Amino acid sequence: MIIIKKHYDPVRPIKLDKIKLMQVFVNIFRNAKDSVLASDNPEKSITVKKINAGKNKCKIEISDNGVGISAKNLKFIFIELMTSDKNSNNKNIINNK
């Protein structure tokens, strides 16, 4: 079981592209879930914080207590469609050897 911890500041409505934001969140939460499930930590958790960052601004922080990203794979995290998931249909798989 994964515990979702939520900490939400009150924030005014903000104009944004809901579809793009949803795509980002889905990807982040999938990665967090995979990382947490791969961990030996008995208390598996993902924490979501919504922070008021001033007029018309909001900061979202998502963290987990999973296995993390290896140092050698950090350089790939902002490359679109890159994955280390061997079960992915994506052709841009990072070689983890």
Side-chain angles (χ1 to χ4, degrees), residues 39-54:
S39 169
D40 292 334
N41 191 332
E43 183 184 309
K44 300 175 183 313
S45 66
I46 298 171
T47 302
V48 182
K49 294 180 181 179
K50 179 177 71 172
I51 301 162
N52 188 335

Side-chain angles (χ1 to χ4, degrees), residues 8 18 31 36 60-61 67 75 78 85-87:
Y8 295 164
K18 292 179 186 177
N31 290 343
V36 167
I60 307 283
E61 293 180 1
V67 295
K75 62 185 173 188
F78 293 111
D85 182 357
K86 294 173 185 150
N87 297 320

Side-chain angles (χ1 to χ4, degrees), residues 34-96:
D34 292 345
S35 179
V36 167
L37 292 176
S39 169
D40 292 334
N41 191 332
E43 183 184 309
K44 300 175 183 313
S45 66
I46 298 171
T47 302
V48 182
K49 294 180 181 179
K50 179 177 71 172
I51 301 162
N52 188 335
K55 185 179 179 182
N56 299 324
K57 293 183 181 179
C58 173
K59 179 178 175 182
I60 307 283
E61 293 180 1
I62 302 170
S63 60
D64 64 66
N65 63 351
V67 295
I69 301 169
S70 69
K72 71 177 188 169
N73 287 342
L74 278 176
K75 62 185 173 188
F76 299 111
I77 65 171
F78 293 111
I79 298 175
E80 187 176 1
L81 302 176
M82 239 357 156
T83 183
S84 60
D85 182 357
K86 294 173 185 150
N87 297 320
S88 173
N89 292 326
N90 186 355
K91 293 181 172 50
N92 295 327
I93 296 178
I94 299 169
N95 186 350
N96 283 320

Side-chain angles (χ1 to χ4, degrees), residues 3-27:
I3 298 166
I4 305 295
K5 300 176 182 178
K6 300 181 227 173
H7 308 280
Y8 295 164
D9 283 350
V11 175
R12 297 177 113 163
I14 299 171
K15 290 185 179 185
L16 50 86
D17 185 327
K18 292 179 186 177
I19 303 286
K20 286 184 181 178
L21 187 61
M22 184 63 73
Q23 289 172 335
V24 170
F25 283 162
V26 166
N27 187 45

